[in-house]
């Protein structure tokens, strides 16, 4: 299954999802699927990829090992970032009232499918 | 109820919890309750408070508003950070196999109780 199809499944299966991205740790998106123009996914992702690097550094220093998942709940959106491999993350963005648990579940389930595409 | 009692309730009520802290955005802990020596809560928190500031900056730039909650799932631990007010966060640290959902619930429920103590 193509990246875009897997991303569609996750986004369309999650109530309140705004979009999804596969993105490198350098912040460059590989693929994007958006169902809303409310949020600029790409510019948001560039900001958060800087965070990912910081979080990774924090985890290493605190000897917590590799970061597997990060979620940020802000006033305007919920962002879930799930590690795919050493270089790439899958990002799901939801409205504040979106179904967080469902998104998290579908995001996790989609990781092995996405990894087959690398 | 004192800070320490509220923190005990959250930690003891969450399967796999290692400890909890009330910490300033500057990384200085106000109160700490730990049930394990597996992880150095304080040094970990200093690292993560830097992250909090970065995340806050990222949220502002991406116009997502104030950050309310951040969770980081790493190989060795799960860390949940919940905003109390403009200056302070409540941090809960769990084992990787700990009850994430329960911790998240108790952490949220404890916020109004903690706020009464400020």
């Amino acid at each position: 299954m193509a990246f875009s199809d897997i991303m569609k499944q996750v986004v369309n299966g999650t109530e309140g999802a705004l979009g999804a991205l596969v993105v490198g740790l350098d912040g460059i998106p590989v693929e994007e699927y958006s169902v809303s123009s409310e949020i600029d996914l790409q510019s948001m992702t560039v900001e958060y990829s800087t965070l990912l690097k910081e979080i990774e550094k924090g985890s290493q220093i605190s000897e917590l090992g590799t970061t597997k998942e990060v979620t940020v709940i802000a006033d305007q959106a919920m962002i879930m970032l799930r590690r795919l491999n050493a270089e790439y993350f899958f990002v799901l963005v939801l409205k504040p009232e979106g179904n967080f648990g469902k998104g998290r579940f579908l995001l996790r389930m989609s990781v092995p499918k996405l990894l087959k595409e690398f």
Side-chain angles (χ1 to χ4, degrees), chain A residues 11-29:
Chain A
V11 172
N12 297 334
T14 307
E15 297 83 351
L18 296 168
L21 295 116
V22 173
V23 63
L25 263 179
D26 53 9
I28 299 172

Side-chain angles (χ1 to χ4, degrees), chain A residues 6-115:
Chain A
I6 302 165
M7 290 158 74
K8 270 182 203 173
Q9 276 188 352
V10 176
V11 172
N12 297 334
T14 307
E15 297 83 351
L18 296 168
L21 295 116
V22 173
V23 63
L25 263 179
D26 53 9
I28 299 172
V30 177
E31 186 88 43
E32 188 184 332
Y33 174 67
S34 174
V35 290
S36 162
S37 56
E38 280 177 48
I39 273 177
D40 181 350
L41 284 183
Q42 292 219 8
S43 74
M44 208 196 68
T45 306
V46 174
E47 290 306 324
Y48 279 96
S49 66
T50 317
L51 291 181
L52 277 176
K53 272 180 273 187
E54 286 296 317
I55 288 169
E56 192 65 20
K57 213 163 64 185
S59 297
Q60 299 290 350
I61 293 168
S62 353
E63 297 179 349
L64 296 179
T66 306
T67 313
K68 289 190 285 190
E69 192 179 300
V70 177
T71 60
V72 177
I73 301 181
D75 281 341
Q76 306 301 321
M78 299 192 281
I79 301 106
M80 280 180 228
L81 309 106
R82 179 90 196 166
R83 176 182 287 278
L84 293 171
N85 57 29
E87 292 296 318
Y88 293 96
F89 271 80
F90 187 30
V91 183
L92 179 66
V93 184
L94 290 90
K95 290 182 194 174
E97 69 276 18
N99 191 337
F100 182 88
K102 182 78 172 294
R104 193 154 173 257
F105 174 77
L106 290 179
L107 198 150
R108 284 184 179 185
M109 291 299 109
S110 72
V111 172
K113 292 185 221 165
L114 285 163
L115 284 176

